[in-house]
Amino acid sequence: METENRSRELTTTDRILRAFERLQHIDRRVMYALLAVVVAVPLIWNFKQPVVVTWPVQGAYDTIEKMPADKLAIIDIVWDSGTVAESRPQTEALIRHLMLRNKKFAIVAFMPQGNKLAYDSAKRIGSELGKEYGKDWIHWGYRPGGAMIQFMMGLGRDIPGTVKSDIEGKPVTSYPIMKGIKSIKNGDVGVIAEVTPSGTLDYWIAYVYGSYRTPLIYCPTAVMAPEGYNPLDAGQIKGMLTGMKGAAEYESLLGRQDFATRAAGALSTSHLLIIVLIIAGNIGYISSRRRRSES
Amino acid sequence: MFTHWIVKPGAPQYIWALAVLGDFLIMGGALFFLLRMVPSRFRKTLVAAVTFLAGLIYSVEFFVPPDPATGENFLTSFAQKTVTDVVLVLSTFALGLGIYSLLRFHGRNLARRRAGWHNSLALYFAFFAMLLSGFWTMMGKSPAASNTYDMLFRGLVAAPGATMFSIIAFYIVSAAYRAFRIRSGEATLMLAAAFVVMLGSVPIGEYLTSGLPTTGFLSNFRMENVNLWILKEPNMAAWRGISFGVEIGALAMALRTWLSLERGSFFEREL
Amino acid sequence: MDHANLPIAILEGVLVFLILFKIYSARRGRDLYIRRIPGLNAIEEAVGRATEMGRPMMFSPGINALNMPTLQALSILRHVTSVAARYRTRVIVPTCDSVVYTVAEEISKDAYNSEGRPEQFNADDIRYLSDDQFAYASGCVGILTREKIASSFMFGAFFAEALILAETGHNMGAMQVAGTPSITQIPFFITSCDYTIIGDEFYAASAYLSREPTLLGSLVGQDYAKGVLIVVIVAGIIAASVLGVDHQLLSLLSTFGQ
Amino acid sequence: MNTLTSWLSNSSITQSIALWLAVGATLGIYSILYKENPIYRLVEHMYIGAAAGYYAYIGWAQTLKPLWWDRITDGQWVWIFALIGGSMFYFIYSQKHVWISRIIFGGLLGLVAGAAFKGFAGLNVDRIEASFKPLWGVPAPNIINNIFAMVILLTVMIYFFFSFEHKTKLHRAPANLGRWFLMFAFGAMFGSTVMARMSLLIGRVHFLLADWLPIAK
């Protein structure tokens, strides 16, 4: 009976404040469940969401657009299955762009798993767009990470002599795509794009850009992105795709909505969830403080 | 001894194993005998001397000017190749201690049938499965070996590792919710910075200010630019401020350790 | 920076001289002041709380191999273990490196001995979990939840796993004190722990807890060394303003002699 | 035995087992978010065991064999001493001769300490020089940024002075200001880490939804 009496005495504001106060103590399991939902939903259902193309991504896109058709682009794969959700969309967006514009490119991998995953991606997009292996694109295969610097310096002087054979073990000179490709020094490489979760960009800058000024594109994971801004400022790299978000912006430039666009949606929703929860927590906090000061 | 005079390169591996064991017992035993003769009052001095001499390697290598032609001084190749390898080899020998301790702990669980002993059994199973499949891949190129190794690595090491890493996403949500309240000036400041940076790093945040021009004064207020400015200017400066202090703290500690001036941890004990 | 050039040798020489000079003058009995570091005062409180609740504590010395941050963490471990021995409360120490594991075991044994409670030492409480960062984290989560840890200490070098340990501890209702020189992880400790020791307060900890003259002297010397860096930076800022940013004097440290 | 080997030679079988193991591990670890439970316990133990086995194998295959064993069998017999040094660690288990382990610990700590001079220079020289930012003679926005950077850097450093009593306002004000800047920076660090962690979670959810349940292809 007593509680009923008390509740009758409550003013309306008091009741509202009490309701809001609960927002202070949302159970963590509820928050975890909400996070799982807001991450999964955009991955399953594609919904339209705004994508703003930032200048580092635009720079990467323009660099590939401007590459002369007689030159070769190199996509350097330094990722493996651990970062597949971020690195594969970046790789696929670049491959698709190069194939759409009829530009020749070569893939080279320094990670065994990434080697195969990138090969599968290129084969799939190639068959979708009617591109022929060996004529429109080539995969130079896997090289151990320890040999990276020697390999890069070798490309500078002599590409066929350094690469020797492709992923299928055939000599690269037997493919039409390699006709007339001699070395980076000779100006045969138009763009080098590196997709990586680790800090290997410095090697390309030191051993290739430093000597031959070949345009570089950097595709790091979100964790590594801060390290890219220095060389970007200094003009050592022409463009950068930051994790899933960068890949999503690139997809929008290509007029597509593939995995990265959905993943970027999930990034937005998960960040929004945190922001909403912080606001809710503060509403609860302020209400309880108000109520305490009133009583 | 054996490895130098008797067994020559090209001998079978098991002969080598015996030779290494023999040498280890003879030379290690001799060293042990010598060390036992060290009177206890000189033991601390001996340890300090070893510490000091070891410290000289890298510090002298750093401070002695290099030969301009090669960029190396008389210690460089020793310090950077040999010593690095020795440390790697030594710490790998020490790995045995950790694994022994782990297996001993869970072995006791098993032997005494403590609560959860079947988990200890699973630990043993996973340990030997991974270890043996690894060695299997070293014995020639059989597809069964590499498939098994790959299967166990992906299922038992890579997948739980990636999941454990990603679980931070959940914890970051609950930590932000709980801690970012406008309780005090400090907490509010932290909240404000986190709020802006979070909003500025996702497409939806960039969309909010996408109406602003991309060049000129107003472009500074675009979300992604505000975000970048916070990370590059105030954040970088504060980071440097802390890091100078931390690095000097580490330098002082290294100095005390090198000269055996350190107190605390395990430097107190009588030897 | 493969080798020191003259300016670097001078700079480091000055820093080393100041630290050593203060250590030796402190050993001759100069009285020294240190400001309060609240997080370190909380250690005793945390041990007391675990004792009242009759539940164990956990101390994680970080995930690095035996280096300076880990050595400092082990100094703090010695202090925590001594307090725990006095209160007769268990400390579980999960380690992420074999060498650190052995040193931790020795320190712990030693701390119990010097408190006159050797029988309290339990070899099963010092555990090697894994060299793998996240396997270690998963094991710590297991300890925190299954052993119903009442107080959790995290001192040492931490990386991404910091938040896993800290949030799990928080969810278990443990009182948590943390300190790390890994700057990127400080924010996560601040949000999830009761007390966080930031930046080089971590390296001040052993001096603060032990009041050992050598360590106090070193701490004062470190302050002087920081003062020298401030002077160098201010001088550099003035030089950059007067002489222009590209003047060679400003890159003396990195390019001298090249 | 032969059937088992032929079975394991078929990569599509091992890959689907790997997938199911990975799914089990993923869901098992996530289950800790609800509460501690037997499934998590099992996954945790298997993960720790497998990681130990993996490191033991890698330790032999990538360190001891190439750097130690191959050298000895190649005639470089001095490497025997590495085994003797390594065995010193194990004296930790002896009550009487525990001090012998100290020799090897001392040696390792000495090496780490000696490397500190190089480490200090390598980390800080560039940072010190990058802090030399002019306060005049450059465009106005840069001047504002540079003043800001200088004030933050100096006040933060002052906050970390331990041996001066912050008695007067003149002492206290910069240190307090430094602490405020620190908190702001910590907030920014927190915020900038969120995207990286969410990307990892999206990766895992994508694994469950695309590789396992073909929902989000």
Side-chain angles (χ1 to χ4, degrees):
Chain A
M1 282 317 271
E2 212 182 75
T3 44
E4 224 167 80
N5 279 340
R6 266 230 325 249
S7 72
R8 223 174 285 140
E9 284 165 25
L10 286 176
T11 62
T12 333
T13 41
D14 212 39
R15 231 175 266 149
I16 294 171
L17 287 177
R18 262 169 191 270
F20 277 147
E21 252 182 76
R22 286 193 170 167
L23 292 174
Q24 257 194 109
H25 307 289
I26 302 176
D27 187 78
R28 67 191 155 87
R29 295 186 184 103
V30 173
M31 292 191 277
Y32 296 159
L34 283 175
L35 179 63
V37 170
V38 302
V39 166
V41 165
L43 292 181
I44 299 172
W45 292 285
N46 206 354
F47 58 88
K48 225 180 148 63
Q49 55 138 349
V51 175
V52 180
V53 179
T54 51
W55 60 270
V57 175
Q58 188 71 47
Y61 182 84
D62 293 344
T63 309
I64 289 186
E65 288 279 298
K66 277 187 289 196
M67 184 182 101
D70 60 328
K71 293 194 178 188
L72 187 73
I74 297 176
I75 302 179
D76 172 26
I77 305 291
V78 200
W79 52 273
D80 64 11
S81 57
T83 59
V84 65
E86 288 184 85
S87 303
R88 186 162 58 188
Q90 295 172 332
T91 311
E92 290 190 352
L94 290 171
I95 290 175
R96 186 175 291 278
H97 188 196
L98 287 160
M99 285 183 171
L100 279 172
R101 300 288 182 269
N102 298 315
K103 310 221 165 165
K104 300 186 291 181
F105 68 92
I107 298 173
V108 60
F110 291 96
M111 293 282 205
Q113 289 170 326
N115 179 46
K116 190 176 173 304
L117 291 167
Y119 190 41
D120 294 345
S121 292
K123 272 196 288 194
R124 188 172 36 83
I125 300 171
S127 70
E128 188 187 312
L129 298 173
K131 297 289 167 185
E132 197 185 313
Y133 182 80
K135 187 169 148 283
D136 301 304
W137 66 283
I138 188 166
H139 192 325
W140 289 341
Y142 163 74
R143 301 285 182 288
M148 194 184 279
I149 295 174
Q150 287 79 353
F151 188 80
M152 288 173 185
M153 296 203 292
L155 291 183
R157 289 185 303 267
D158 176 10
I159 293 175
T162 306
V163 179
K164 295 191 182 80
S165 53
D166 75 338
I167 191 168
E168 282 154 14
K170 290 187 195 157
V172 284
T173 43
S174 67
Y175 292 99
I177 187 174
M178 297 296 287
K179 283 264 149 54
I181 302 291
K182 292 195 189 78
S183 65
I184 296 180
K185 194 176 172 188
N186 198 34
D188 297 325
V189 173
V191 174
I192 297 168
E194 187 182 52
V195 191
T196 175
S198 51
T200 45
L201 173 73
D202 290 349
Y203 298 150
W204 284 113
I205 294 179
Y207 299 106
V208 174
Y209 181 82
S211 313
Y212 313 112
R213 304 282 160 201
T214 312
L216 299 181
I217 293 172
Y218 181 42
C219 308
T221 51
V223 186
M224 293 301 294
E227 299 191 9
Y229 283 102
N230 255 331
L232 201 59
D233 260 356
Q236 291 163 320
I237 52 178
K238 299 285 172 273
M240 177 163 95
L241 276 62
T242 304
M244 292 166 179
K245 188 173 83 89
E249 292 169 30
Y250 213 95
E251 283 176 3
S252 87
L253 284 172
L254 296 173
R256 292 190 62 92
Q257 295 197 322
D258 294 323
F259 173 67
T261 308
R262 280 181 282 148
L267 277 182
S268 285
T269 50
S270 57
H271 279 68
L272 275 182
L273 174 72
I274 300 184
I275 287 169
V276 167
L277 285 173
I278 293 176
I279 294 173
N282 279 293
I283 291 176
Y285 176 69
I286 295 167
S287 323
S288 80
R289 221 169 44 174
R290 284 253 320 255
R291 206 169 60 83
R292 236 177 289 145
S293 66
E294 273 169 24
S295 65
Chain B
M1 301 262 175
F2 296 121
T3 47
H4 185 51
W5 286 302
I6 299 172
V7 184
K8 296 288 171 200
Q13 299 276 312
Y14 72 93
I15 300 279
W16 273 109
L18 285 174
V20 168
L21 186 68
D23 274 359
F24 169 69
L25 289 176
I26 294 171
M27 293 200 271
L31 184 69
F32 178 63
F33 186 71
L34 284 176
L35 285 174
R36 271 183 52 170
M37 296 203 306
V38 177
S40 46
R41 62 177 189 281
F42 290 131
R43 288 175 180 173
K44 238 177 181 163
T45 323
L46 179 68
V47 173
V50 169
T51 311
F52 181 74
L53 287 175
L56 276 183
I57 299 174
Y58 283 122
S59 47
V60 169
E61 195 274 328
F62 181 58
F63 284 111
V64 169
D67 179 353
T70 54
E72 296 183 356
N73 58 33
F74 70 102
L75 260 176
T76 304
S77 112
F78 175 69
Q80 283 175 358
K81 299 204 180 79
T82 315
V83 177
T84 313
D85 284 359
V86 169
V87 172
L88 253 167
V89 169
L90 284 179
S91 17
T92 313
F93 280 126
L95 184 64
L97 280 170
I99 290 176
Y100 167 70
S101 140
L102 185 71
L103 295 181
R104 188 186 54 178
F105 178 79
H106 289 281
R108 276 190 213 141
N109 278 357
L110 271 174
R112 295 180 197 162
R113 294 287 158 94
R114 281 187 200 151
W117 61 271
H118 52 276
N119 289 321
S120 298
L121 187 67
L123 183 141
Y124 263 80
F125 173 76
F127 172 78
F128 284 109
M130 198 69 232
L131 184 72
L132 296 178
S133 77
F135 284 120
W136 191 11
T137 59
M138 289 179 85
M139 306 189 310
K141 283 199 165 182
S142 99
S146 62
N147 282 345
T148 312
Y149 177 76
D150 195 51
M151 169 181 87
L152 293 172
F153 179 75
R154 277 173 55 196
L156 297 180
V157 181
T163 310
M164 207 66 207
F165 199 174
S166 76
I167 213 169
I168 304 171
F170 292 96
Y171 291 143
I172 221 169
V173 171
S174 51
Y177 165 74
R178 209 180 47 239
F180 293 153
R181 300 272 163 90
I182 45 172
R183 272 192 206 101
S184 61
E186 281 180 7
T188 311
L189 215 53
M190 235 179 128
L191 185 161
F195 207 88
V196 174
V197 172
M198 271 194 276
L199 213 48
S201 49
V202 286
I204 203 103
E206 288 165 357
Y207 176 71
L208 289 178
T209 53
S210 58
L212 293 173
T214 49
T215 51
F217 176 71
L218 278 177
S219 72
N220 290 328
F221 296 96
R222 284 174 70 101
M223 218 56 217
E224 67 269 21
N225 293 337
V226 172
N227 177 22
L228 201 59
W229 180 83
I230 290 180
L231 293 179
K232 267 178 74 180
E233 299 293 338
N235 185 44
M236 182 71 84
W239 173 294
R240 272 193 199 134
I242 319 172
S243 79
F244 286 144
V246 169
E247 296 304 331
I248 284 182
L251 183 72
M253 178 127 195
L255 202 61
R256 298 195 307 261
T257 308
W258 185 32
L259 303 177
S260 293
L261 294 170
E262 180 62 351
R263 296 289 176 272
S265 60
F266 78 138
F267 300 91
E268 233 79 315
R269 193 169 162 185
E270 281 308 307
L271 297 174
Chain C
M1 208 46 58
D2 278 341
H3 294 279
N5 54 24
L6 191 64
I8 290 177
I10 292 173
L11 177 69
E12 290 198 347
V14 170
L15 302 183
V16 166
F17 169 78
L18 285 171
I19 294 167
L20 287 182
F21 176 73
K22 280 288 151 192
I23 287 179
Y24 284 107
S25 70
R27 283 179 149 193
R28 285 199 306 266
R30 289 271 310 277
D31 202 29
L32 297 166
Y33 165 87
I34 305 191
R35 75 164 161 84
R36 232 173 75 82
I37 303 175
L40 294 173
N41 295 342
I43 289 179
E44 189 122 8
E45 184 193 337
V47 178
R49 194 183 113 102
T51 312
E52 269 169 34
M53 298 173 83
R55 301 204 315 225
M57 305 181 283
M58 187 179 98
F59 186 106
S60 166
I63 67 162
N64 266 357
L66 193 64
N67 59 6
M68 293 309 135
T70 310
L71 203 55
Q72 176 66 357
L74 292 171
S75 290
I76 304 172
L77 169 66
R78 192 175 200 284
H79 177 80
V80 170
T81 312
S82 300
V83 181
R86 260 175 265 147
Y87 283 84
R88 294 180 185 276
T89 299
R90 266 173 79 199
V91 194
I92 300 174
V93 186
T95 59
C96 192
D97 181 277
S98 298
V99 180
V100 175
Y101 154 72
T102 51
V103 180
E105 180 162 309
E106 232 204 297
I107 285 178
S108 181
K109 230 184 258 172
D110 201 30
Y112 283 113
N113 283 339
S114 54
E115 293 296 327
R117 303 254 165 78
E119 75 289 350
Q120 258 192 67
F121 172 78
N122 177 0
D124 274 355
D125 282 348
I126 318 294
R127 295 180 200 169
Y128 165 84
L129 289 180
S130 183
D131 267 82
D132 183 272
Q133 182 185 9
F134 291 107
Y136 175 75
S138 78
C140 286
V141 168
I143 292 175
L144 282 163
T145 48
R146 281 192 295 278
E147 306 271 1
K148 307 228 172 336
I149 297 295
S151 300
S152 163
F153 302 93
M154 287 157 283
F155 286 97
F158 286 92
F159 299 90
E161 73 292 338
L163 189 64
I164 302 180
L165 269 61
E167 270 296 292
T168 309
H170 182 275
N171 294 343
M172 291 301 299
M175 175 169 173
Q176 307 199 92
V177 188
T180 178
S182 322
I183 302 171
T184 40
Q185 297 311 320
I186 299 173
F188 301 105
F189 279 142
I190 292 182
T191 51
S192 304
C193 296
D194 300 85
Y195 293 93
T196 306
I197 287 144
I198 57 179
D200 62 335
E201 289 176 350
F202 174 71
Y203 285 112
S206 52
Y208 189 85
L209 294 171
S210 69
R211 302 277 157 179
E212 180 79 42
T214 306
L215 301 178
L216 288 175
S218 170
L219 196 57
V220 178
Q222 283 159 244
D223 273 4
Y224 280 81
K226 276 177 264 179
V228 168
L229 279 192
I230 289 183
V231 170
V232 169
I233 288 168
V234 170
I237 289 173
I238 295 171
S241 309
V242 177
L243 304 169
V245 266
D246 296 323
H247 197 278
Q248 58 180 21
L249 200 61
L250 295 175
S251 52
L252 205 58
L253 281 171
S254 57
T255 57
F256 183 85
Q258 279 181 10
Chain D
M1 199 61 207
N2 273 337
T3 38
L4 183 67
T5 317
S6 69
W7 201 56
L8 289 172
S9 304
N10 184 343
S11 67
S12 69
I13 293 177
T14 55
Q15 275 177 12
S16 56
I17 298 175
L19 176 70
W20 282 93
L21 281 175
V23 168
T26 305
L27 295 176
I29 285 187
Y30 282 146
S31 73
I32 190 79
L33 290 167
Y34 184 67
K35 67 177 207 198
E36 212 275 337
N37 64 76
I39 312 261
Y40 174 80
R41 236 171 283 167
L42 182 69
V43 173
E44 173 205 327
H45 281 80
M46 291 191 77
Y47 179 25
I48 290 179
Y54 175 71
Y55 276 86
Y57 158 66
I58 290 285
W60 173 259
Q62 293 185 3
T63 309
L64 290 185
K65 189 174 183 301
L67 298 183
W68 180 71
W69 182 254
D70 287 353
R71 281 176 176 164
I72 288 186
T73 55
D74 198 36
Q76 300 180 37
W77 63 277
V78 278
W79 283 89
I80 289 285
F81 286 104
L83 179 62
I84 294 172
S87 69
M88 285 182 168
F89 286 115
Y90 291 80
F91 280 95
I92 188 96
Y93 290 115
S94 150
Q95 281 291 337
K96 207 170 142 202
H97 302 296
V98 67
W99 79 276
I100 291 179
S101 67
R102 281 302 172 75
I103 300 175
I104 193 81
F105 287 135
L108 283 182
L109 283 173
L111 285 174
V112 174
F117 298 101
K118 190 174 186 164
F120 184 85
L123 280 172
N124 293 305
V125 162
D126 289 339
R127 291 182 192 157
I128 293 172
E129 288 182 348
S131 312
F132 298 163
K133 293 181 169 179
L135 301 185
W136 61 86
V138 284
N142 292 11
I143 291 182
I144 297 170
N145 275 342
N146 292 352
I147 291 176
F148 211 57
M150 179 186 75
V151 171
I152 293 176
L153 177 66
L154 296 183
T155 51
V156 166
M157 286 184 79
I158 289 169
Y159 172 75
F160 285 111
F161 277 117
F162 296 105
S163 56
F164 300 104
E165 237 169 314
H166 303 261
K167 265 185 192 152
T168 63
K169 238 190 181 155
L170 198 68
H171 285 113
R172 239 183 338 228
N176 284 344
L177 195 61
R179 197 175 157 86
W180 286 69
F181 286 132
L182 272 178
M183 289 302 151
F184 186 81
F186 288 146
M189 283 178 214
F190 190 106
S192 68
T193 315
V194 174
M195 181 159 87
R197 302 292 179 258
M198 288 303 163
S199 298
L200 294 167
L201 175 62
I202 292 169
R204 272 342 266 170
V205 173
H206 177 248
F207 162 75
L208 289 175
L209 294 181
D211 293 4
W212 181 46
L213 308 167
I215 298 176
K217 268 290 175 199

